[in-house]
């Protein structure tokens, strides 16, 4: 059976659904016996979910608009 | 506007009582349709025939199809609805979450596994379905009858998801967090190679709707002939076809058929392109209208595009009734395309010439943006605007700023870890891009080229701060030696623990504390959701290096967030 280090090395591909069937089977066999990696994969999946959903580092229109205006003013100046 | 959400509240009409009986409540999706009783009746008749009536597939199997596809399309309304229904049928919440995240990791009967594999491909990449997929599904334990059920349910799922975007109902239940969609590859588009399933032959004298079609079209379309195994569903579908596409109402027949043609073209459905072109006669001005352009926008299937499309129709003076009807026509056209992809019905007419200016315009607004064109070069949605700027249309550059500012900003925050400086650097990035645009040769997408400028701009600023080594990193990226320290289980629904603002703040703090080389990769892949190829190209990294950094970044972020989300930790973390 694979070790925790082997599992961790593959966890990224596993979360992205990019492991071959036979590798997935080995990872799942490991998970069936390893509480630590089960928690790791569950919490990593939840991390990914909340990070993806939160809409962090957004650029609100009120911030974006003056910057866009400044850029366009400079460009129009250059284009003259 | 916003009035599309409303509708006539009040007495439950007969169609709604059918829905009430089988769903347990009347989903808000049906409310706007109460303004158009005939449409509502036909719509519910189709739902009744495909979903509520007992057929080869059980109701739970059909609801599972609707649920898995709603999750895969990130359709919040349908996801919450079918989640709730399956819960009422006794499926445990945890199992539902696992199925939505990745059904392949859940223990399922072989027949159900084959079923979900087939419907995901049909629902998400219908034009790549071939006889091979049908063969695989049959080998997986499905029968021809159950496959037809699956095809109809998959088409129904597309109809419901699209209607939910176009009619914008309020959620029936509190929002559930959607799983991160898996990236799957589906193979190349196929020619219509069917019919894939056997079907008893019926003639116009045997079936009244066939007689109508014979009189109206002078033929019975193969796509309907291929469904005679499920007569109840076929009759409901024909009634809706007649009501939606062959009758003048708030929108004219021509307008609705033009929308059908636009959706067929956006889906690359040769069968319906040929049939609608034949119906419309000369493909002319009628297809080149706000209605069709907005239809293709809606078919992109994101709430933002749906909102834009509805607002555009509203601003052009379309009435509320017309917009509702338009949304139903788009949804039903999507349904028809999916049914045809699943059955492989062969066209009766030659498809129109794709180089016709009107169709060309539609083709350039694909329903789901393909990543690469036929010859393998990246498809670039910015091509037209970039070309305009290159020939001197300075104002067109503003659209490029609008489209890409958030992405550029996130790249720069990822590198610089300073929002104020990132805003300054964003300005530099766009100015440099404009100065060098004449030399941009389209070897990559414009967005990739722009992000590489952003990345270099950020690195230059780090260099001035003498911090550039923090981005370069050194040695091999490896997980050897990485030991998770936070190994307590997390709460089942971490999203429920904090408000959206608190959640955003926790994540932003966690991301900002990551070392720069991990931070920028997490920012581009997980927050901005670029593909691995695009993120690697923008940062000048190879894919293996990008993946290694992403993994380390995600694991470090998990460690940073764990104290806030582990079971029972909320009190301790505050």
């Amino acid at each position: 059976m694979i070790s925790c280090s082997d599992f961790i090395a593959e966890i990224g591909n596993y979360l992205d659904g990019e492991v071959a069937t036979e590798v997935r089977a080995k990872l799942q066999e490991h998970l069936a016996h390893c509480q630590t990696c089960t928690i790791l994969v569950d919490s990593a999946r939840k991390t990914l979910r909340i990070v993806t959903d939160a809409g962090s580092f957004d650029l609100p229109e009120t911030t974006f608009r003056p910057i866009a205006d400044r850029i366009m003013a400079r460009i129009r100046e250059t284009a003259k | 506007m916003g009035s599309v959400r409303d509708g006539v509240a009040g007495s439950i009409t007969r169609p709604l009582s059918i829905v009430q009986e089988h769903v347990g409540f009347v989903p808000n999706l049906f409310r706007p349709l109460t303004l158009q009783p005939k449409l509502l009746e036909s719509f519910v008749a189709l739902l009744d025939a495909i979903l509520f009536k007992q057929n080869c597939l059980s109701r739970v199997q059909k609801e599972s199809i609707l649920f898995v596809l709603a999750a895969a399309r990130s359709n919040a309304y349908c996801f919450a609805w079918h989640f709730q229904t399956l819960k009422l049928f006794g499926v445990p919440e945890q199992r539902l979450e696992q199925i939505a995240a990745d059904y392949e990791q859940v223990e399922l009967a072989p027949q159900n596994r084959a079923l979900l594999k087939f419907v995901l491909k049909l629902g998400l990449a219908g034009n790549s379905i071939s006889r091979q997929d049908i063969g695989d599904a049959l080998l997986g334990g499905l029968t021809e009858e159950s496959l037809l059920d699956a095809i109809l349910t998959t088409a129904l799922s597309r109809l419901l998801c699209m209607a939910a975007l176009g009619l914008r109902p309020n959620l029936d239940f509190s929002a559930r967090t959607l799983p991160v969609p898996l990236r799957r590859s589906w193979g190349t588009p196929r020619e219509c190679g069917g019919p894939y399933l056997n079907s008893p032959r019926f003639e116009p004298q045997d079936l009244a709707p066939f007689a109508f079609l014979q009189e109206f079209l002078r033929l019975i379309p193969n796509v309907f002939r291929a469904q005679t195994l499920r007569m109840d569903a076929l009759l409901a579908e024909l009634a809706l076809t007649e009501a939606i596409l062959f009758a003048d109402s708030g929108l004219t027949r021509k307008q609705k058929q033009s929308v059908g043609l636009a959706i067929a073209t956006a889906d690359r459905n040769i069968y319906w392109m040929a049939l609608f072109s034949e119906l419309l006669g000369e493909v002319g001005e009628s297809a080149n209208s706000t209605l069709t352009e907005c239809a293709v926008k809606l078919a992109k299937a994101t709430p933002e595009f749906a909102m834009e499309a509805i607002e555009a129709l509203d601003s052009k003076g379309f009435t509320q009734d017309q917009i509702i009807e338009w949304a139903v026509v788009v949804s039903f056209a999507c349904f028809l395309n999916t049914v045809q992809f699943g059955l492989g019905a062969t066209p009766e007419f030659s498809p129109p010439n794709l180089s016709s200016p009107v169709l060309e315009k539609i083709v350039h607004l694909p329903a789901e943006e393909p990543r690469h064109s036929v010859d393998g070069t990246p498809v670039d949605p910015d091509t037209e605007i970039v070309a305009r700027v290159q020939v001197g249309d300075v104002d067109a550059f503003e659209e490029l700023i609008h489209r890409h500012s958030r992405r550029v900003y996130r790249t720069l925050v990822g590198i610089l870890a300073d929002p104020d400086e990132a805003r300054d650097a964003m300005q530099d990035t766009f100015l440099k891009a404009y100065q060098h645009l004449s030399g941009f040769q389209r070897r990559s997408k414009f967005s990739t080229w722009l992000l590489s400028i952003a990345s270099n701009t950020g690195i230059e600023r780090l260099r001035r701060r003498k911090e550039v080594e923090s981005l370069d990193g050194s040695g091999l990226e490896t997980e050897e030696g990485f030991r998770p320290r936070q190994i307590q289980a997390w709460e089942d629904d971490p999203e429920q623990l904090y408000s959206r603002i608190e959640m955003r703040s926790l994540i932003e703090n966690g991301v900002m504390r990551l070392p720069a080389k991990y931070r920028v990769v997490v920012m581009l892949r997980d927050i901005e959701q670029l593909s691995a190829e695009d993120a690697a190209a923008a940062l000048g990294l190879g894919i293996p290096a990008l993946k290694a950094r992403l993994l380390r970044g995600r694991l470090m972020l998990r460690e940073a967030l764990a104290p806030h989300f582990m079971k029972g930790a909320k009190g301790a973390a505050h």
Side-chain angles (χ1 to χ4, degrees), chain B residues 12-19 29-50 52-53 156 159 232-233 235-244 324 328 332:
Chain B
I12 302 273
T13 58
R14 190 175 163 277
L16 292 189
S17 66
I18 295 174
V19 175
L29 179 67
F30 295 90
R31 290 195 169 276
L33 297 176
T34 55
L35 293 167
Q36 302 194 27
K38 275 196 164 170
L39 206 53
L40 176 68
E41 196 177 339
S42 310
F43 195 90
V44 170
L46 187 73
L47 198 69
D48 190 31
I50 295 177
F52 303 153
K53 292 255 166 67
L156 181 69
L159 183 151
D232 56 341
L235 291 175
E237 190 180 320
L238 287 169
L240 204 52
T241 305
E242 191 179 332
I244 291 183
I324 290 172
V328 174
F332 189 56

Side-chain angles (χ1 to χ4, degrees), chain B residues 180-228:
Chain B
V180 179
L182 293 178
R183 285 180 279 276
R184 301 174 193 271
S185 67
W186 301 110
T188 51
R190 304 301 182 100
E191 298 290 323
C192 313
Y196 302 138
L197 304 179
N198 293 308
S199 52
R201 188 166 176 89
F202 281 78
E203 297 303 334
Q205 60 271 24
D206 305 323
L207 204 62
F210 273 13
F212 168 81
L213 288 171
Q214 181 68 42
E215 191 185 332
F216 196 86
L217 300 174
R218 301 186 190 286
L219 76 133
I220 315 297
N222 291 333
V223 71
F224 296 129
R225 281 197 187 278
Q227 298 177 62
T228 52

Side-chain angles (χ1 to χ4, degrees), chain A residues 14 43 49 52-53 56-57, chain B residues 105 410 495 508 529 558:
Chain A
Y14 184 69
S43 52
R49 197 169 79 196
T52 306
D53 284 353
S56 309
F57 301 104
Chain B
Q105 294 189 44
R410 283 176 170 165
E495 296 84 352
E508 291 186 358
Q529 296 189 35
R558 188 204 73 91

Side-chain angles (χ1 to χ4, degrees), chain B residues 129-187:
Chain B
I129 287 282
S130 68
R131 194 174 285 280
Q132 175 77 41
D133 298 301
I134 303 290
D136 288 351
L138 293 172
L139 278 175
L142 297 173
T143 61
E144 290 215 355
E145 288 80 1
S146 57
L147 255 180
L148 180 54
D149 254 10
I151 291 167
L152 290 168
T153 310
T154 305
L156 181 69
S157 147
R158 187 130 186 253
L159 183 151
L160 293 174
C161 286
M162 203 53 70
L165 285 167
L167 299 173
R168 294 188 296 153
N170 291 322
L171 289 177
D172 301 302
F173 305 96
S174 55
R176 300 205 60 83
T177 304
L178 288 154
V180 179
L182 293 178
R183 285 180 279 276
R184 301 174 193 271
S185 67
W186 301 110

Side-chain angles (χ1 to χ4, degrees), chain B residues 199-469:
Chain B
S199 52
R201 188 166 176 89
F202 281 78
E203 297 303 334
Q205 60 271 24
D206 305 323
L207 204 62
F210 273 13
F212 168 81
L213 288 171
Q214 181 68 42
E215 191 185 332
F216 196 86
L217 300 174
R218 301 186 190 286
L219 76 133
I220 315 297
N222 291 333
V223 71
F224 296 129
R225 281 197 187 278
Q227 298 177 62
T228 52
L229 269 177
R230 277 292 309 279
M231 195 51 83
D232 56 341
L234 174 61
L235 291 175
E237 190 180 320
L238 287 169
L240 204 52
T241 305
E242 191 179 332
I244 291 183
L245 295 172
F246 296 155
D248 290 316
S249 47
L251 300 174
T252 66
R253 249 187 295 183
K254 287 273 179 204
Q255 283 176 319
K256 292 187 282 186
Q257 291 169 5
S258 297
V259 167
L261 174 61
I263 296 297
T265 310
D267 271 3
R268 310 291 200 273
N269 187 302
I270 301 293
Y271 180 93
W272 281 107
M273 282 169 70
L275 192 49
F276 278 123
S277 297
E278 187 68 21
L279 279 172
L280 285 161
E282 191 69 21
V283 179
E285 282 308 300
S286 55
N288 185 13
S289 68
T290 310
L291 276 177
T292 52
E293 286 178 24
C294 289
V296 175
K297 211 168 245 189
L298 178 59
K300 281 173 177 267
T302 70
E304 294 76 20
F305 278 118
M307 181 74 87
E308 261 183 42
I310 292 165
E311 283 174 356
L313 289 175
D314 192 40
S315 70
K316 292 277 180 184
F318 285 94
T319 64
Q320 182 179 341
D321 275 359
Q322 285 174 319
I323 296 176
I324 290 172
E325 201 180 345
W326 163 84
V328 174
V329 175
V330 174
S331 310
F332 189 56
C334 289
F335 173 94
L336 291 175
N337 288 348
T338 304
V339 171
Q340 189 280 329
F341 285 137
L343 295 170
T346 49
E348 293 84 9
F349 305 102
S350 311
N353 184 356
L354 275 171
S355 61
S356 122
V358 174
L359 285 182
E360 202 177 1
K361 186 170 179 141
I362 294 170
V363 172
H364 281 132
L365 290 167
E368 286 174 24
E369 288 175 13
R371 306 195 69 80
H372 292 90
S373 61
V374 179
D375 64 2
T377 55
V379 170
D380 191 345
D382 296 318
T383 299
E384 192 193 324
I385 301 182
V386 168
R388 279 169 52 198
V389 181
Q390 284 176 326
V391 296
D393 181 354
V394 176
D395 292 339
F397 194 74
E398 190 158 5
E399 176 61 22
L400 293 175
I401 301 176
H402 198 262
R403 285 186 187 187
H404 298 290
S405 57
R406 195 176 60 180
R407 194 167 277 184
V408 166
Y409 173 69
R410 283 176 170 165
T411 306
L412 288 161
V413 174
I415 293 172
L416 297 164
D418 178 345
D420 290 336
E421 192 174 2
R423 284 192 282 270
D424 281 350
M426 182 168 106
Q427 187 167 323
D428 293 351
T429 300
F430 278 110
L431 289 172
K432 282 184 202 166
Y434 179 76
Q435 283 160 8
H436 295 102
L437 198 62
S438 57
F440 172 60
Q441 295 180 339
R442 300 187 174 78
R443 287 199 199 95
S444 63
K445 287 195 290 186
F446 170 77
S447 56
T448 309
W449 179 77
L450 179 67
L451 288 193
S452 65
I453 295 179
S455 169
N456 288 330
T457 305
I459 290 168
E460 262 172 47
R461 285 178 175 251
L462 281 189
R463 194 164 281 135
R464 273 183 247 149
R465 288 194 214 155
K466 302 194 189 312
E467 287 179 20
V468 74
E469 65 282 4

Side-chain angles (χ1 to χ4, degrees), chain A residues 4-5 7-19 21 24 28 31 35-37 39-61 63-80, chain B residues 97 101-102 104-105 177-180 182-183 394-395 397-398 401-402 405-406 409-410 413 423 426-427 430-431 434 479 482-484 487-495 500 503-504 507-508 511-512 522-523 525-527 529 547 550-551 554-555 557-558 561 565:
Chain A
C4 289
S5 302
F7 183 87
I8 290 171
E10 278 298 331
I11 194 173
N13 289 332
Y14 184 69
L15 289 171
D16 285 340
E18 291 175 0
V19 286
T21 313
R24 180 192 297 276
Q28 285 174 339
L31 281 180
Q35 178 71 5
T36 303
C37 287
I39 290 173
L40 186 66
V41 83
D42 173 72
S43 52
R45 183 171 282 135
K46 285 171 179 162
T47 301
L48 199 51
R49 197 169 79 196
I50 58 181
V51 168
T52 306
D53 284 353
S56 309
F57 301 104
D58 206 2
L59 193 62
E61 180 69 18
T63 312
F64 159 76
R65 180 45 50 200
I67 301 175
D69 289 346
R70 274 203 300 277
I71 297 170
M72 285 310 294
R74 289 272 301 275
I75 286 176
R76 289 194 181 100
E77 191 63 31
T78 322
K80 271 182 192 169
Chain B
E97 279 174 0
D102 184 2
E104 287 182 8
Q105 294 189 44
T177 304
L178 288 154
V180 179
L182 293 178
R183 285 180 279 276
V394 176
D395 292 339
F397 194 74
E398 190 158 5
I401 301 176
H402 198 262
S405 57
R406 195 176 60 180
Y409 173 69
R410 283 176 170 165
V413 174
R423 284 192 282 270
M426 182 168 106
Q427 187 167 323
F430 278 110
L431 289 172
Y434 179 76
E479 296 326 305
F482 175 81
R483 292 279 175 274
I487 46 169
Q488 275 179 269
W490 281 30
E491 291 285 355
D492 290 336
D493 285 318
E495 296 84 352
R500 201 164 170 77
M503 190 70 113
R504 200 175 285 181
I507 292 163
E508 291 186 358
V511 172
M512 290 294 231
V522 167
M523 189 75 94
R525 282 285 283 125
D526 292 341
I527 297 181
Q529 296 189 35
K547 282 190 168 185
L550 180 63
L551 171 55
R554 283 174 176 176
L555 292 175
L557 188 56
R558 188 204 73 91
L561 295 176
F565 296 107

